């Protein structure tokens, strides 16, 4: 009974203590609230320490004698090599190098004397690197000052890079300009300012007030819209007059639209190409003149290099036509590799005599053509001096076998030469343009890629470079294929080819190159088909068909299919593009033929395709109707 009474008593006491504890908590809470009302704590006082610790700057307090009192910022901001504990009581001169100390010391004295905030800068080697710091010195009272030290190394590096960048741009020969969308000049290099007579300050001067191609506000707005319509990149030529001159000159302008802080900024890169155009035209005229002369004169003309075993460097068309030996088999070869040994030995003997005496040789020679016909020619050989190398040997020959035959042959040769010259001129002009266009893009955007800071801008430039690399690679591939066809070395590797798998691979590869407005289709009911053929050549032909269809189909569909018809398979690529006029359909497989000169290409693709299909034993053709589309097809024998 006593033990039960004791437990009960203890329980009652515990309960009483619990109630007393709750009452005391409530009283304490009331007292705290009354104290806060009587002496409220401000937000700044409550969070002052956290705010100081979150700042990236090093905050230190010194007395007026420059003795360290305390580091009031986070330990991580300390960069003087002295711990926060050692800082207290240490003199400033023992913390930083002498040069930095003198700088801070003079500004601190100024702040103490004037009571105003003072700024100082100094440099320190911290963690193995040079750092630049900006100090803000705040007088706290009659005894202490607060120094706020901020690391401005990145800002200094950026400023220096900007100065270097501006210095470089001021030294280039091109005029460079940046304009806001309202026509206000934001940046102009030294060349532009001098060439266009910029008199007002940047940020005030309007581009249409300068002697550029946009002389009115309306003209500027029209040009800006053209740049926007061309995805922010637009190139054009314009005439202008330099300051202090009266004669018009031509400049090539490349413009690019960028976005900075959600504002449009248009960059113009202007190059004076007046002299370049003049020299190019003069050189083209001279080359055309010389080429026309050399390929139309009724004589054999050749050039040898005595320093390289008398190998041929030049072999004109007349020589190629009369001898039956094409220039491709002569240039880079010796007489021993071209003619019979007796003839070659006689030619070499004459060449050595000319090289020994340096006296012009006028002789009569006989040689056998490629078909075994003997020809008698009168040959004149001489040495042509060259700068910084051995002289070259030039030879001119007149065929005297039969004057009448020569006359007739020369007439035919002249006609053929004119036709070949036109084809060659057209080919060279087209190749010059086709090669230069991707090369210019590759070189230009590679240069811009080095200067680009924006990842999105870099990706855009890399994409442009990659597209032009592919275009240039395709161009060179076509030229090499044509050369192989000409040389008779167009090889084929035969194997078992799964036609359905081949078409599916082509379909997958071309999907990425197809615009959203065009649907690339693979016929769903293709039969199983095994062919013995060259897989890469079949793919090349079908790929060429699809690429051409993509060029001339802006909307609609392109369908890849094949059918088995008797002893052969018929492959086709059908599109809903612009189609081909009937009178032009027979010419599309000729070399250098382009139905649209504004579409990239060499005019060689279909000609190469025709050669491939012919050598595979098939036929090639096109069915087309203007405005409704085209269907390019070829057949391939089974078995």
């Amino acid at each position: 009974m006593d033990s039960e009474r004791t437990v009960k008593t203890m329980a009652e006491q515990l309960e009483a203590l619990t109630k007393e504890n709750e009452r005391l908590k409530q009283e304490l809470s009331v007292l705290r609230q009354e104290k806060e009302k009587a002496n409220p704590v401000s937000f700044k006082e409550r969070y002052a320490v956290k705010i100081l610790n979150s700042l990236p700057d090093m905050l230190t307090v010194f007395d007026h004698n420059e003795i360290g009192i305390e580091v009031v910022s986070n330990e991580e901001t300390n960069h003087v090599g002295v711990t926060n504990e050692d800082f207290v009581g240490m003199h400033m001169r023992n913390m930083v190098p002498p040069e930095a100390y003198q700088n801070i010391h003079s500004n601190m004295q100024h702040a103490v004397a004037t009571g105003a905030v003072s700024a100082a800068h100094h440099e320190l080697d911290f963690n193995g690197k040079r750092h630049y710091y900006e100090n803000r010195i705040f007088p706290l009272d009659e005894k202490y000052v607060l120094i706020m030290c901020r690391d401005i190394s990145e800002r200094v590096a950026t400023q220096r890079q900007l100065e270097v960048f501006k210095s470089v741009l001021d030294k280039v020969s091109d005029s460079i300009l940046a304009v806001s969308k309202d026509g206000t000049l934001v940046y102009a290099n030294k060349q532009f300012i001098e060439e266009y007579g910029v008199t007002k300050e940047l940020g005030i001067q309007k581009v249409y007030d300068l002697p550029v191609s946009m002389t009115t506000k309306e003209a500027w707005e029209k040009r800006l819209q053209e740049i926007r319509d061309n995805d922010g990149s637009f190139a054009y030529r314009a005439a202008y007059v330099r300051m202090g001159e009266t004669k018009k000159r031509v400049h090539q302008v490349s413009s690019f639209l960028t976005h900075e802080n959600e504002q449009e900024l248009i960059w113009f890169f202007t190059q004076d190409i007046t002299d370049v155009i003049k020299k190019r035209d003069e050189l083209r005229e001279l080359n055309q003149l010389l080429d026309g002369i050399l390929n139309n004169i009724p004589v054999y003309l050749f050039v040898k290099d005595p320093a390289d075993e008398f190998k041929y460097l030049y072999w004109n068309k007349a020589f190629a036509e009369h001898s039956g030996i094409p220039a491709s088999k002569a240039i880079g070869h010796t007489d021993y590799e071209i003619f019979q040994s007796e003839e070659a030995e006689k030619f070499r003997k004459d060449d050595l005599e000319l090289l020994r005496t340096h006296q012009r040789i006028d002789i009569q020679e006989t040689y056998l053509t490629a078909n075994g016909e003997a020809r008698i020619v009168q040959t004149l050989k001489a040495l042509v001096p060259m700068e910084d190398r051995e002289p070259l040997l030039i030879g001119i020959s007149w065929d005297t076998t039969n004057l009448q035959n020569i006359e007739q042959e020369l007439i035919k040769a002249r006609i053929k030469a004119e036709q070949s010259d036109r084809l060659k001129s057209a080919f060279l002009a087209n190749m010059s343009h086709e090669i230069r266009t991707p090369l210019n893009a590759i070189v230009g955007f590679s240069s811009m890629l080095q200067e680009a800071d924006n990842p999105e801008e870099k990706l855009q430039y890399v994409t442009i470079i990659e597209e032009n690399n592919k275009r240039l690679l395709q161009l060179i591939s076509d030229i090499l294929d044509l050369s192989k066809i000409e040389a008779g070395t167009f090889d084929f590797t035969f194997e078992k080819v799964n036609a359905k798998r081949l078409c599916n691979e082509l379909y997958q590869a071309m999907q990425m190159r197809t615009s959203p407005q065009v649907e690339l289709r693979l016929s769903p009911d293709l039969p199983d088909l095994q062919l013995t053929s060259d897989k890469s050549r079949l793919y090349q032909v079908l790929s060429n068909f699809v690429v051409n269809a993509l060029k001339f189909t802006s909307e609609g569909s392109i369908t890849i299919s094949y059918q088995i018809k008797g002893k052969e398979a018929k492959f086709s690529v059908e599109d809903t593009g612009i189609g081909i006029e009937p009178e032009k359909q027979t010419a599309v497989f000729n070399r250098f033929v382009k139905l649209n000169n504004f579409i990239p290409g060499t005019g060689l693709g279909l000609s190469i395709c025709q050669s491939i299909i012919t050598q595979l034993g098939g036929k090639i053709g096109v069915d087309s109707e203007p405005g409704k589309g085209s269907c390019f097809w070829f057949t391939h024998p089974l078995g």
Side-chain angles (χ1 to χ4, degrees), residues 496-550:
K496 289 292 184 180
V497 180
N498 187 315
K500 183 182 292 187
R501 185 181 302 163
L502 176 68
C503 291
N504 187 61
E505 290 175 359
L506 176 65
Y507 169 77
Q508 296 296 332
M510 289 298 174
Q511 281 279 35
M512 299 178 63
R513 300 178 60 176
T514 305
S515 67
Q517 293 78 23
V518 179
E519 180 185 5
L520 182 63
R521 300 173 179 173
L522 181 63
S523 182
D525 55 349
L526 295 178
D528 292 332
L529 176 61
Q530 291 282 344
L531 292 173
T532 300
S533 187
D534 188 317
K535 180 180 179 181
S536 62
R537 297 302 181 190
L538 287 180
Y539 188 93
Q540 180 179 352
V541 175
L542 287 170
S543 174
N544 189 279
F545 285 178
V546 175
V547 170
N548 282 345
L550 290 172

Side-chain angles (χ1 to χ4, degrees), residues 388-584:
D388 298 330
R389 60 157 295 161
E390 294 294 325
L392 297 179
L393 187 154
I394 184 171
I396 302 175
S397 300
W398 293 265
D399 194 321
T400 58
T401 308
N402 188 314
L403 293 179
Q404 185 63 34
N405 290 340
I406 291 176
E407 181 178 358
Q408 296 300 319
E409 290 297 323
L410 286 176
I411 293 173
K412 295 178 181 179
R414 178 177 58 80
I415 296 173
K416 291 180 179 179
E418 290 174 350
Q419 294 174 344
S420 298
D421 182 59
R422 286 194 296 271
L423 286 176
K424 181 179 179 182
S425 297
F427 176 69
L428 289 176
N430 191 34
M431 288 305 100
S432 174
H433 169 75
E434 292 295 332
I435 293 175
R436 187 186 298 113
T437 299
L439 278 179
N440 284 342
I442 292 169
V443 172
F445 282 97
S446 295
S447 176
M448 292 176 63
L449 183 62
Q450 297 176 357
E451 301 176 0
D453 294 326
N454 191 325
E456 184 177 353
E457 185 180 9
K458 286 184 177 182
L459 178 61
Q460 179 184 4
Y461 292 165
V462 169
T463 302
I464 295 173
I465 293 171
E466 183 179 1
E467 288 298 322
N468 282 276
N469 280 336
K470 293 178 181 178
R471 180 176 172 187
L472 186 59
L473 181 62
Q474 183 59 49
L475 175 64
I476 294 174
S477 177
D478 286 348
I479 295 174
L480 291 176
D481 282 347
L482 180 64
S483 300
K484 289 180 180 180
I485 292 173
E486 290 289 340
T489 59
F490 204 64
D491 297 328
F492 290 84
T493 303
F494 290 93
E495 59 181 316
K496 289 292 184 180
V497 180
N498 187 315
K500 183 182 292 187
R501 185 181 302 163
L502 176 68
C503 291
N504 187 61
E505 290 175 359
L506 176 65
Y507 169 77
Q508 296 296 332
M510 289 298 174
Q511 281 279 35
M512 299 178 63
R513 300 178 60 176
T514 305
S515 67
Q517 293 78 23
V518 179
E519 180 185 5
L520 182 63
R521 300 173 179 173
L522 181 63
S523 182
D525 55 349
L526 295 178
D528 292 332
L529 176 61
Q530 291 282 344
L531 292 173
T532 300
S533 187
D534 188 317
K535 180 180 179 181
S536 62
R537 297 302 181 190
L538 287 180
Y539 188 93
Q540 180 179 352
V541 175
L542 287 170
S543 174
N544 189 279
F545 285 178
V546 175
V547 170
N548 282 345
L550 290 172
K551 290 179 182 179
F552 297 97
T553 306
S554 59
E555 59 182 9
S557 63
I558 299 173
T559 304
I560 305 169
S561 66
Y562 64 82
Q563 298 176 334
I564 300 175
K565 295 187 175 182
K567 296 183 178 181
E568 63 183 17
K570 183 177 181 180
F571 293 78
S572 65
V573 174
E574 185 175 5
D575 64 65
T576 60
I578 62 176
I580 305 173
E581 298 174 2
E583 62 271 20
K584 295 182 179 180

Side-chain angles (χ1 to χ4, degrees), residues 15-225:
E15 183 179 358
L17 288 173
T18 301
K19 292 180 179 180
E20 181 65 17
N21 186 40
E22 290 296 326
R23 185 184 65 79
L24 291 174
K25 283 183 179 180
Q26 292 177 1
E27 291 180 357
L28 180 61
S29 176
V30 171
L31 290 174
R32 284 178 178 174
Q33 291 176 3
E34 291 176 351
K35 183 179 180 180
E36 288 180 357
K37 290 180 180 180
N39 299 295
V41 178
S42 67
F43 182 88
K44 180 170 63 176
E45 292 173 334
R46 182 179 300 173
Y47 293 99
V49 174
K50 290 185 178 180
I51 292 173
L52 290 176
N53 286 335
S54 66
L55 292 175
D57 304 329
M58 181 179 181
L59 304 179
T60 57
V61 177
F62 288 86
D63 64 16
H64 288 189
N65 294 321
E66 300 177 354
I67 301 299
I69 302 302
E70 187 175 355
V71 178
V72 297
S73 59
N74 195 306
E75 179 81 34
E76 296 177 356
T77 64
N78 192 325
H79 58 261
V80 295
V82 177
T83 66
N84 288 4
E85 294 179 357
D86 294 337
F87 177 90
V88 179
M90 183 179 291
H91 197 279
M92 183 190 298
R93 70 165 61 91
N94 298 324
M95 300 179 186
V96 295
E99 184 177 351
Y101 168 72
Q102 289 298 329
N103 204 354
I104 302 172
H105 168 77
S106 60
N107 281 273
M108 180 173 171
Q109 294 299 319
H110 176 75
V112 171
T114 62
V117 177
S118 182
H121 294 81
H122 69 272
E123 304 174 15
L124 285 178
D125 289 326
F126 183 61
N127 290 336
K129 293 183 179 180
R130 195 67 170 174
H131 286 255
Y132 299 85
Y133 298 94
E134 179 181 69
N135 302 291
R136 297 274 180 180
I137 304 173
F138 302 86
L140 296 176
D141 52 26
E142 299 300 325
K143 189 176 181 179
Y144 301 111
V145 295
L146 172 68
I147 299 181
M148 178 183 292
C149 185
R150 173 168 297 182
D151 190 334
I152 59 170
S153 301
E154 291 186 4
R155 187 204 309 171
V156 172
T158 301
Q159 289 175 343
R160 291 182 176 179
Q161 290 176 356
L162 182 60
E163 291 301 323
V164 171
F165 178 68
K166 289 182 177 179
S167 176
V168 171
L169 293 184
D170 283 339
K171 292 177 181 179
V172 299
S173 59
D174 294 357
S175 298
I176 303 175
L177 174 69
V179 185
S180 62
K181 64 181 181 180
D182 66 352
T184 303
L185 271 62
V186 176
Y187 170 80
N189 71 340
K190 181 179 179 181
Q191 178 73 4
F192 184 91
I193 293 174
E194 293 177 352
E195 194 162 7
Y196 292 90
V198 179
T199 57
K200 298 180 182 178
E201 294 182 1
L202 299 181
I204 299 176
Q205 179 76 66
K206 299 295 185 181
V207 67
Y208 44 77
D209 292 333
L210 298 172
V212 295
S213 57
M214 303 159 289
T215 55
T216 64
K217 185 177 181 180
E218 291 73 19
W220 157 249
E221 292 175 349
K222 180 180 179 182
R223 180 53 46 81
L224 176 59
Q225 190 59 46

